[in-house]
């Protein structure tokens, strides 16, 4: 098998997985809880894992890349791909060490792999997950995969006979979905303004922001009911309204929250985001439209819509559609 190309993203380097990575990944791959949804049982020794890394890829024809943080060489997980015999279609696999959970790393690494596979000419990628593997299912949905079907009794694993959910993504869908859902949400210098939102149910808000809007979870402090999320250059903090710790409040909280403000968020394909919001059942306050805003002698064009999040905060997702000379007086009610 030819040498694997090195893949890079904002925070990560994906390089060929080696048997020596067993040392770094053993703690996770020997953990029964972390391996619950894996297709094989947790390993018992580092040597067993080393042997897996030595022999399994060669036998299966899969290619595996270890995930390392830029500037280091310690594996914090891996991604893998195996082309099906009909050609042009590859299955994905991925695993992340516990130390790297809830930081947006899985999405960043899998995105880099998908970019590579489609650049190589693959027309479709897919993954199969356990129906109860909420984290993996949410990741694939956030990346734009479609849930294509359920295979009943497909796997017999160390936890019994399990169903399998099939998730698929086509090359044209991935190109069209060139939104910050695919952009690593690395903090290269913190933004100058980051709003903090009080939310009624932080678990629900995190799910909606990640699986529907496409945010990555960068920081989470469960004991404080706090989360920090980002999509491209748009960052937001949120905390449970009745959670522990300090809260900044000048008046009683009444639904809908966030009255008198909307948050404008730039995306590269607003139609893609709009489609996901429509499927989610969230309340769209202003439908998809094109508006032009005067800036001196020019007008800046936005294709945009406004959606209310579960607490009533208004999010205006927009796509830049260019500039033009001023044609008519801008509408001040826009």
């Amino acid at each position: 098998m030819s040498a694997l190309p090195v893949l890079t993203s904002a925070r990560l380097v994906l390089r060929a997985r080696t048997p020596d990575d067993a040392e770094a990944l053993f703690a996770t791959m020997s953990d029964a809880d972390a391996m619950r949804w894996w297709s094989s049982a947790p390993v018992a020794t580092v040597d067993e894992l080393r042997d897996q890394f030595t022999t399994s890829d060669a036998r299966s024809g899969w290619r595996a890349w270890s995930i390392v943080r830029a500037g280091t060489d310690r594996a914090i997980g891996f991604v893998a791909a195996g082309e099906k015999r009909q050609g042009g279609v590859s299955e994905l696999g991925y695993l992340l060490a516990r130390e790297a959970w809830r930081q947006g790393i899985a999405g960043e690494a899998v995105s880099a792999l998908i970019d590579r596979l489609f650049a190589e000419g693959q027309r479709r990628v897919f993954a199969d997950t356990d129906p109860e593997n909420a984290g993996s299912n949410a990741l694939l949905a956030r990346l734009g995969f479609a849930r294509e079907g359920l295979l009943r009794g497909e796997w017999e694993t160390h936890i019994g006979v399990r169903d399998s959910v099939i998730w698929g993504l086509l090359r044209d869908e991935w190109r069209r979905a060139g939104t910050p859902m695919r952009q690593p949400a690395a903090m290269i210098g913190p933004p100058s303004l980051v709003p903090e939102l009080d939310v009624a149910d932080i678990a629900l808000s995190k799910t909606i922001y990640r699986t529907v809007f496409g945010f990555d979870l960068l920081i989470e402090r469960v004991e404080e009911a706090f989360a920090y999320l980002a999509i491209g250059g748009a960052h937001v903090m949120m905390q449970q309204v009745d959670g522990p710790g300090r809260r900044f409040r000048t008046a009683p909280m009444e639904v809908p929250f966030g009255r008198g403000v909307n948050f404008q968020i730039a995306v590269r394909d607003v139609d893609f985001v709009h489609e996901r919001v429509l499927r989610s059942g969230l309340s769209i306050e202003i439908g998809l439209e094109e508006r032009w805003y005067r800036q001196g002698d020019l007008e800046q064009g936005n294709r945009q819509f406004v959606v209310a999040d579960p607490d009533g905060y208004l999010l205006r997702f927009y796509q830049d559609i260019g500039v033009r000379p001023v044609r008519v007086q801008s509408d001040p009610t826009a």
Side-chain angles (χ1 to χ4, degrees), residues 299-313:
E299 291 180 331
Q300 173 68 50
N302 285 0
R303 183 166 173 80
Q304 62 187 19
F305 71 97
V306 178
V307 59
D309 83 353
D311 294 287
Y313 293 107

Side-chain angles (χ1 to χ4, degrees), residues 29-175:
M29 298 193 71
S30 61
D31 182 328
D33 183 55
M35 296 292 286
R36 177 172 177 79
W37 310 119
W38 203 246
S39 56
S40 57
V43 296
T45 66
V46 173
D47 286 341
E48 180 185 348
L49 184 57
R50 187 186 301 274
D51 183 61
Q52 281 189 19
F53 288 172
T54 302
T55 61
S56 63
D57 295 344
R59 292 172 182 167
S60 68
W62 280 58
R63 298 180 291 169
W65 287 260
S66 282
I67 305 166
V68 303
R69 299 181 192 272
T72 75
D73 196 49
R74 177 180 172 80
I76 55 172
F78 61 83
V79 295
E83 186 171 16
K84 308 304 287 184
R85 59 186 178 182
Q86 70 265 35
V89 176
S90 285
E91 182 176 2
L92 308 182
Y94 43 86
L95 179 141
L96 205 59
R98 275 190 180 276
E99 68 194 71
W101 289 5
R102 299 186 179 90
Q103 299 170 41
I105 288 174
E108 188 173 332
V110 174
S111 292
L113 176 58
I114 294 171
D115 279 338
R116 176 66 193 186
L117 294 174
F118 285 146
E120 291 177 347
Q122 299 291 288
R123 65 177 180 272
R124 176 176 181 267
V125 295
F126 75 97
D128 73 289
T129 64
D130 191 286
E132 296 182 30
N133 187 350
S136 191
N137 289 323
L139 169 66
L140 294 169
R142 190 165 70 252
L143 291 174
F145 282 71
R147 178 170 169 152
E148 298 176 335
L150 176 71
L151 304 180
R152 296 175 298 166
E154 174 72 2
W155 291 99
E156 184 167 9
T157 74
H158 54 292
I159 61 170
V161 175
R162 307 297 298 177
D163 295 344
S164 179
V165 178
I166 303 301
W167 296 87
L169 179 69
L170 303 179
R171 180 172 57 223
D172 289 345
E173 293 171 335
W174 184 245
R175 287 174 176 170

Side-chain angles (χ1 to χ4, degrees), residues 206-227:
K206 283 190 304 180
T207 298
I208 294 296
Y209 273 69
R210 297 180 72 193
T211 64
V212 178
F213 302 147
F215 281 72
D216 282 318
L217 179 63
L218 299 189
I219 301 169
E220 182 171 30
R221 294 194 290 271
V222 176
E223 71 281 4
E224 297 178 20
F226 170 88

